[in-house]
Amino acid sequence: DAPALDIDPFAPDFFEDPAPHHAALRDAGPAVRLTRYDVWGVARYEHVRAMLFDWQTFSSAAGVGLQDFRRETPWRLPSLVLETDPPLHDRTRKVLGRVLSAGALKALRATFEREADALVDALIERGSFDAIPDLAEAYPLKVFPDAIGMPAENRRYLLPYGNMVFNSFGPRNEYFEDAVRDAAPVLAWVQAQSQRDALDDHGFGAQIHAAVDTGELTADEAPIVVRSLLTAGVDTTVSGLGAAIYCLARFPDQYARLRADPSLSKAAFEEAVRYETPVQTFFRTTTRATDIGGVAVGEGEKVLMFLGAANRDPRRWERPDDYDITRPSAGHVGYGFGIHLCVGMALARLEGECVLASLARRVASIEITGPTTRRYNNTLRGLRSLPVTIRAA
Ligand code: HEM
Ligand SMILES: CC(C)Cc1ccc(C(=O)O)cc1
């Protein structure tokens, strides 16, 4: 019968070095029974990509975490975008897609570039710092809440809230319990911050609430759609930027190529998203009995997609374990695919491009000058600390 493995994808051994586990999962078969959680795991690029496009068979409406919303009370009110299927998803996604479109973001480019230059100049003055809190976290925490239209105070709750939600997609293990320990003030803040009167008149938040005036959203739905941005808009880009800086610091020959041609900053960020895959895993739930590459899967089964394994699959990528900024990385599954393809992708890419271009123009070298420590989270892959020393160009 079906191949089975008892690995634990939500444990330090896996978080510290996923590569051997990813290889075992890919090689065990198209779909593998994860006996520890009694769910399926899919790690090959071909099948992960096919699942992401087949929303009818692989539904998001029962949640994209281990929890099955049809059997258990969701930890938080389900997202009206992430945790819905069509037709509801079509309506809410349309609003977010317009607010976050590449066209809408053109107006932000000058600001995002200026903020990146200012932050990099300040860090050059310091010389040595921790690239995670001082750069990977500092930059999104400045530009994104500004773009949403949030007041300056209380932005510190954004990372704790993201940490709770991303841990909530996994099992109720110690990472989840630690994250939700003092959740009450954070949850109250998120609820308050999503209201129309808490947001300025021209940011993403106001634009979402304006969809109530046009009848595209109800007054009850709008705060939940704003909550989607508060949830997914920061912790993801923090992990993405951290991944890119970590790659460029580890592979100086790639940094030298970027220095020689700063217009490669977009490609360098994209290849880091493929190489590190900040969002490592999430689930779908089958709506009918089906098969994945010939392995029979029943109706109502949770299937865990290993995006990080798919992005390193030798069946799809040449030299998958090389960080190569000139590689055509298009087609990686780091932002998902299909109807739930990351709606913030253009924004994430803009942030990544601006920060890496600023570094490429102003910083001659990035050296890791201390021990790195990894962050343990049930969904996000990223460092907790990355001590570096940079030299001005
Ligand atoms: C490097 C940064 C980012 C990564 C790696 C990332 C990754 C992803 C992935 C893999 C999905 C698909 C989830 C699924 O199929 O169930 C997704 C969806 C989503 N992302 Fe992102 N994301 C990033 C940045 C952002 C930003 C900056 C925002 C907000 C401005 C955002 C908002 C969303 C939302 C609202 C969805 C749900 C879309 C839907 O279900 O239709 N993400 N993201
Ligand atoms: C990679 C995704 C699971 C990130 C994410 C989280 C939360 C939401 C929401 O809509 O709350 C949307 C996207």
Side-chain angles (χ1 to χ4, degrees):
D1 48 2
L5 287 174
D6 77 345
I7 54 169
D8 185 352
F10 306 107
D13 169 56
F14 200 104
F15 297 147
E16 276 302 329
D17 181 12
H21 300 292
H22 285 168
L25 283 159
R26 288 192 299 261
D27 294 344
V32 186
R33 196 75 191 156
L34 302 180
T35 52
R36 188 176 297 249
Y37 294 104
D38 200 23
V39 298
W40 294 97
V42 176
R44 292 182 190 173
Y45 176 88
E46 170 195 0
H47 303 303
V48 168
R49 182 186 169 108
M51 280 181 63
L52 287 166
F53 277 105
D54 183 1
W55 59 266
Q56 296 92 331
T57 307
F58 301 99
S59 164
S60 296
V64 300
L66 182 60
Q67 253 196 321
D68 185 334
F69 290 174
R70 302 168 311 172
R71 300 196 176 94
E72 311 163 58
T73 309
W75 173 72
R76 65 169 191 158
L77 205 59
S79 164
L80 292 171
V81 194
L82 179 78
E83 292 153 333
T84 55
D85 292 337
L88 171 54
H89 175 261
D90 302 325
R91 178 166 61 83
T92 53
R93 167 79 188 215
K94 186 161 176 276
V95 172
L96 267 191
R98 182 175 65 235
V99 171
L100 294 170
S101 69
L105 298 183
K106 276 200 181 63
L108 290 172
R109 173 174 284 275
T111 304
F112 277 40
E113 285 172 349
R114 193 172 53 247
E115 292 293 347
D117 288 345
L119 182 53
V120 168
D121 284 345
L123 292 171
I124 288 172
E125 285 306 304
R126 290 178 57 183
S128 297
F129 55 93
D130 186 334
I132 301 304
D134 301 334
L135 180 46
E137 289 180 5
Y139 183 73
L141 279 174
K142 177 66 176 76
V143 299
F144 185 65
D146 285 354
I148 287 190
M150 287 172 59
E153 65 277 358
N154 284 344
R155 293 180 175 189
R156 70 185 184 288
Y157 283 128
L158 283 166
L159 288 181
Y161 182 62
N163 191 46
M164 289 176 206
V165 175
F166 283 99
N167 274 309
S168 77
F169 295 138
R172 295 295 174 259
N173 58 12
E174 62 178 288
Y175 310 111
F176 174 77
E177 297 305 342
D178 288 352
V180 300
R181 183 150 293 121
D182 47 8
V186 179
L187 296 174
W189 173 81
V190 167
Q191 164 73 17
Q193 188 54 66
S194 302
Q195 304 308 311
R196 194 162 197 168
D197 59 7
L199 297 151
D200 76 16
D201 293 344
H202 46 271
F204 295 146
Q207 294 165 42
I208 290 166
H209 281 285
V212 177
D213 309 337
T214 59
E216 291 176 282
L217 295 176
T218 67
D220 290 346
E221 290 172 334
I224 299 297
V225 176
V226 173
R227 189 194 69 175
S228 284
L229 299 194
L230 300 180
T231 311
V234 183
D235 221 342
T236 49
T237 48
V238 168
S239 304
L241 282 170
I245 298 157
Y246 189 33
C247 285
L248 292 169
R250 272 179 294 173
F251 308 114
D253 56 319
Q254 296 303 312
Y255 188 64
R257 290 171 109 164
L258 179 59
R259 283 270 295 144
D261 178 4
S263 73
L264 285 170
S265 58
K266 213 174 163 78
F269 183 70
E270 219 44 31
E271 170 69 350
V273 174
R274 177 198 71 86
Y275 188 83
E276 288 293 337
T277 311
V279 173
Q280 284 272 305
T281 54
F282 48 86
F283 293 80
R284 291 290 190 267
T285 311
T286 54
T287 57
R288 62 180 174 86
T290 182
D291 79 281
I292 297 171
V295 177
V297 173
E299 185 273 337
E301 303 252 24
K302 280 278 180 176
V303 185
L304 181 58
M305 295 180 289
F306 289 85
L307 305 187
N311 278 342
R312 297 281 194 102
D313 187 349
R315 297 165 186 80
R316 166 63 177 75
W317 307 96
E318 285 174 29
R319 300 172 294 108
D321 300 331
D322 285 1
Y323 175 68
D324 173 0
I325 71 171
T326 62
R327 164 197 310 274
S329 62
H332 73 75
V333 293
Y335 296 105
F337 258 126
I339 64 167
H340 292 280
L341 172 72
C342 178
V343 73
M345 184 168 68
L347 184 81
R349 285 172 165 168
L350 179 62
E351 290 189 27
E353 180 192 348
C354 291
V355 170
L356 296 193
S358 280
L359 288 170
R361 290 196 182 94
R362 294 157 187 272
V363 172
S365 65
I366 307 172
E367 266 181 277
I368 299 174
T369 45
T372 60
T373 56
R374 180 156 294 284
R375 171 192 182 187
Y376 292 164
N377 179 282
N378 287 330
T379 300
L380 294 174
R381 175 171 175 74
L383 294 180
R384 174 173 307 289
S385 175
L386 175 57
V388 296
T389 298
I390 59 175
R391 276 189 310 105

